[in-house]
């Protein structure tokens, strides 16, 4: 039995979970809460049982694929529950002379040392806020989507190893390299 998969998921107050059959034996999970609504298809090898305010995830067979999907499915459903009740947030910071960001509606504009500003249209479910021009906070209900938006932002100017300039996650350690050794 999967150590992660066998753990029950407790639904907080104001969060509802519904299951329904979808095409090809998949199960459609819909989780609604104060932060929004998330939907996901669960593979046919996995069973989801709702008992009051507890969700139990099980597997229908004991083959390798089912065992692998068991813990994954439980974690995905738990992340959906946390996302619609509390939400997820990631903090990022920009290090470099002249690096700054601004948010206007769903548009994030960043100055990253290029000749033109980098403009990103954020998805409707993602909220971005800028503090002190160089600190960025990305928030949303879907953990995957928050992480992907942060990865896309970081990809424009990842931290470089010589001066440490670039866009990084808050608290991220950048391994620095020694520069050129001068002639003596």
């Amino acid at each position: 039995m999967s150590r992660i998969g066998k753990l029950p998921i407790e639904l907080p107050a104001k969060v509802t979970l519904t299951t329904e059959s979808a095409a090809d034996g998949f199960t459609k999970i819909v989780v609604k809460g104060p932060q929004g609504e998330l939907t996901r298809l669960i593979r046919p090898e996995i069973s989801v049982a709702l008992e009051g305010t507890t969700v139990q995830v099980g597997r229908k067979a004991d083959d390798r694929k089912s065992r692998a999907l068991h813990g994954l499915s439980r974690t995905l459903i738990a992340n959906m529950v946390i996302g619609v009740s509390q939400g997820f947030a990631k903090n990022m910071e920009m290090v470099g002379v002249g690096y700054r960001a601004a948010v206007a509606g769903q548009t994030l504009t960043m100055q990253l040392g290029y000749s033109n500003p980098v403009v990103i249209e954020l998805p409707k479910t993602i909220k971005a806020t800028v503090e002190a021009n160089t600190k960025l906070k990305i928030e949303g209900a879907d953990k995957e989507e928050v992480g992907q938006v942060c990865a896309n932002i970081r990809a424009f100017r990842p931290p470089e190893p010589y001066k440490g300039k670039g866009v990084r996650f808050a608290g991220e350690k950048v391994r620095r390299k020694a520069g050129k050794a001068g002639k003596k």
Side-chain angles (χ1 to χ4, degrees), residues 64-147:
R64 184 179 177 96
K65 186 174 186 180
S66 296
R67 288 194 315 263
L69 290 171
H70 188 196
L72 171 70
S73 299
R74 188 255 177 221
T75 302
L76 291 174
I77 295 170
N79 283 341
M80 290 170 65
V81 170
I82 293 169
V84 298
S85 61
Q86 303 166 9
F88 291 99
K90 286 197 181 245
N91 294 316
M92 303 183 82
E93 52 192 31
M94 292 179 248
V95 177
V97 176
Y99 287 19
R100 61 185 180 274
V103 176
Q106 290 299 103
T107 304
L108 174 64
T109 305
M110 298 182 294
Q111 298 287 338
L112 296 175
Y114 297 118
S115 58
N116 293 322
V118 176
V119 179
I120 301 172
E121 280 295 322
L122 298 172
K124 290 184 171 105
T125 56
I126 296 293
K127 179 184 169 208
T129 54
V130 176
E131 304 156 7
N133 287 337
T134 59
K135 297 193 185 325
L136 192 59
K137 185 173 187 176
I138 308 294
E139 299 173 288
D142 190 356
K143 187 175 186 176
E144 281 182 63
E145 193 173 29
V146 169

Side-chain angles (χ1 to χ4, degrees), residues 14-77:
K14 299 181 184 174
V15 173
T16 60
L17 184 139
T18 57
T19 62
E20 53 189 69
S21 296
D24 298 331
F26 284 82
T27 305
K28 183 178 178 183
I29 305 286
V30 179
V31 183
K32 295 179 185 174
Q35 298 287 328
E37 176 180 326
L38 294 175
T39 305
R40 179 174 295 279
L41 290 176
I42 301 295
R43 301 272 313 192
E45 296 91 347
I46 303 301
S47 64
V48 179
L50 180 62
E51 301 154 4
T53 61
T54 304
V55 179
Q56 191 66 47
V57 179
R59 59 179 180 250
K60 297 177 181 171
D62 202 36
D63 60 323
R64 184 179 177 96
K65 186 174 186 180
S66 296
R67 288 194 315 263
L69 290 171
H70 188 196
L72 171 70
S73 299
R74 188 255 177 221
T75 302
L76 291 174
I77 295 170

